[in-house]
Amino acid sequence: MSVTRDLAEFAVGANFGDLPDDVVREAKRDIINVLGVALYSARDPSLKHLLGLFAEEGGNARATVWGAGMRTTL
């Protein structure tokens, strides 16, 4: 089997209660870090420049830019 298939089968069969405590703790920490970076970045003045570049790209805008009220292809 491929690594991707093995990982997918593990993910489908896993129960939250089966996960080790340290894995759950680190996953929660990672989620908090992502949210913190997103909130901080939404207030950064350089974000306007990036959003302008994203808008110029055009295309099929499917990715939501958190805190910006827009979607982008990047």
Side-chain angles (χ1 to χ4, degrees):
M1 269 195 224
S2 72
V3 173
T4 304
R5 180 177 295 261
D6 291 345
L7 180 59
E9 288 178 0
F10 171 78
V12 168
N15 292 313
F16 185 80
D18 295 336
L19 299 173
D21 291 340
D22 58 332
V23 170
V24 173
R25 183 177 55 253
E26 289 300 315
K28 288 178 180 180
R29 184 173 171 235
D30 291 343
I31 291 168
I32 290 170
N33 283 337
V34 165
L35 293 174
V37 168
L39 289 172
Y40 178 82
S41 299
R43 298 182 59 182
D44 191 300
S46 63
L47 181 62
K48 290 181 183 178
H49 298 292
L50 287 173
L51 294 179
L53 291 172
F54 293 165
E56 288 176 17
E57 287 294 317
N60 185 8
R62 297 181 295 175
T64 300
V65 180
W66 291 355
M70 71 174 285
R71 297 168 80 83
T72 183
T73 58
L74 302 175

